Amino acid sequence: MSGRKIEIAIDKSLCVRCNKCVRVCPSQIFTAAAEGIELVNTESCIGCGHCVCVCGSGALLHSLFPREKIHKIDYSLYPSAGQVMLLCKGRRSNRAFSTAPVPDDSLRMILEASHAAPTASNMQQVEFTVIKDPEMIRKISEFVVNLFGHYVKLLENPLLKPLLKLFFKRYYRYVPVYYRMKREMEQGRDMVLRGAVAVIFIHTPSGSMFGEADGNLAYQNGSLMAESLGVSQLYTGFVCTAIKMGKGKFEKMINLPPDRKIVAGMGLGMPLFRYGSYPEREPLRYVEI
């Protein structure tokens, strides 16, 4: 949230003393008194908007949320629980992209959905970099393959390998994957971004305590919106791993400010086809306490 001074007031002539604002405020700014709802410690407001959105009488006046920024919810337009479940179960990483561009309107809706995700303490520090330039997308894939090649060379070093296998055994399962990626790249096929025509990188301030959680909440929103729009998406796991290993090199390549950290990424494209079915997952595991 911005550092603007927040002003909150209650129009006592409109307040029906339902106490909803008292119940929903995470900062406990509202308190129920004999004379009506009172305000305390308003400087603690995180600007979440819960109070103005729950107030049915319009008695809440908040400087961050003038009337034109508050929109009524028509719950009759919500998808059914079954529809949401189908969307969740039907969503997959579809790596069979066509060469058609993702419509700008669809890309905007995916970004809007990502931006609507909740953030810790309502800090709203999640931002996005959208890459559609084919040359830059190619460079991203090359960056991943080249960086992995550097580390594979270390893992395969005959002098270091016996020791490294003791402590980094799990990394060796990806060595054959790297060689396959490298071969495919040399033959003009991209196993990293799979022919995605757009890539969204989600980033937060470098020192953010909850940056990765916030970024992945944004990713999930955007991913589900992409599925609902018929836009194929894949999680850029190899790219995000290479970004962490690259220690700032990737951020420089895409001109990301040094105080920002990429926490998630999504490759996008129009599908050559859509899946006609979804498989059952392993049985649900949970405990009740």
Side-chain angles (χ1 to χ4, degrees):
M1 292 297 293
S2 67
R4 288 180 295 167
K5 182 180 179 181
I6 295 174
E7 296 180 358
I8 309 171
I10 299 172
D11 186 335
K12 297 292 180 74
S13 67
L14 295 176
C15 180
V16 297
R17 300 175 68 172
C18 63
N19 290 349
K20 290 178 181 177
C21 56
V22 178
R23 299 291 298 273
V24 302
C25 178
S27 300
Q28 297 183 309
I29 288 170
F30 304 92
T31 183
E35 298 78 18
I37 305 299
E38 301 291 343
L39 295 166
V40 293
N41 302 322
T42 56
E43 68 277 3
S44 300
C45 177
I46 63 173
C48 64
H50 287 351
C51 56
V52 291
C53 290
V54 79
C55 181
S57 64
L60 240 298
L61 306 174
H62 198 298
S63 60
L64 291 182
F65 305 104
R67 295 281 183 248
E68 63 270 18
K69 283 195 171 185
I70 303 299
H71 306 280
K72 292 290 185 182
I73 298 174
D74 183 350
Y75 284 106
S76 69
L77 297 178
Y78 266 28
S80 68
Q83 289 170 329
V84 175
M85 185 64 78
L86 179 61
L87 180 63
C88 291
K89 289 185 174 181
R91 177 186 57 171
R92 308 192 69 76
S93 286
N94 187 350
R95 297 171 175 84
F97 295 121
S98 75
T99 57
V102 176
D104 287 340
D105 287 349
S106 295
L107 191 56
R108 176 73 185 187
M109 289 187 74
I110 292 167
L111 290 167
E112 287 280 2
S114 299
H115 180 59
T119 58
S121 299
N122 195 43
M123 294 296 288
Q124 298 187 41
Q125 295 176 320
V126 177
E127 296 179 8
F128 309 89
T129 295
V130 182
I131 297 176
K132 297 194 288 184
D133 175 35
E135 180 64 18
M136 180 56 76
I137 291 175
R138 182 186 64 79
K139 287 182 178 179
I140 291 170
S141 295
E142 287 181 350
F143 173 86
V144 173
V145 173
N146 291 337
L147 189 74
F148 283 0
H150 170 74
Y151 283 96
V152 166
K153 189 175 180 180
L154 289 175
L155 291 173
E156 296 281 71
N157 184 305
L159 296 177
L160 299 175
K161 192 171 183 178
L163 182 62
L164 292 175
K165 270 208 164 183
L166 289 175
F167 296 98
F168 302 103
K169 185 177 180 179
R170 66 185 185 277
Y171 294 120
Y172 280 87
R173 63 174 292 195
Y174 291 104
V175 171
V177 176
Y178 159 73
Y179 284 118
R180 190 163 70 250
M181 289 168 60
K182 186 172 183 291
R183 285 195 305 270
E184 293 289 327
M185 182 74 73
E186 290 169 348
Q187 295 173 25
R189 293 186 292 270
D190 180 6
M191 278 189 63
V192 179
L193 291 172
R194 305 285 183 155
V197 298
V199 185
I200 297 175
F201 287 112
I202 304 170
H203 45 87
T204 60
S206 300
S208 174
M209 184 181 300
F210 301 105
E212 293 203 11
D214 289 347
N216 280 289
L217 285 169
Y219 175 88
Q220 293 297 338
N221 267 25
S223 174
L224 288 169
M225 177 57 76
E227 182 69 26
S228 73
L229 291 167
V231 177
S232 290
Q233 59 81 34
L234 63 86
Y235 187 82
T236 58
F238 282 135
V239 182
C240 289
T241 299
I243 289 170
K244 290 180 180 179
M245 295 164 64
K247 304 183 188 306
K249 294 178 182 177
F250 184 85
E251 289 83 350
K252 288 181 180 178
M253 187 176 80
I254 66 167
N255 295 318
L256 193 71
D259 61 342
R260 306 290 298 179
K261 178 177 70 172
I262 294 172
V263 293
M266 183 188 310
L268 296 166
M270 301 310 295
L272 284 172
F273 48 80
R274 300 186 77 176
Y275 291 91
S277 308
Y278 67 84
E280 290 191 14
R281 299 181 70 84
E282 292 295 317
L284 175 66
R285 296 182 291 274
Y286 70 99
V287 295
E288 289 188 9
I289 298 176

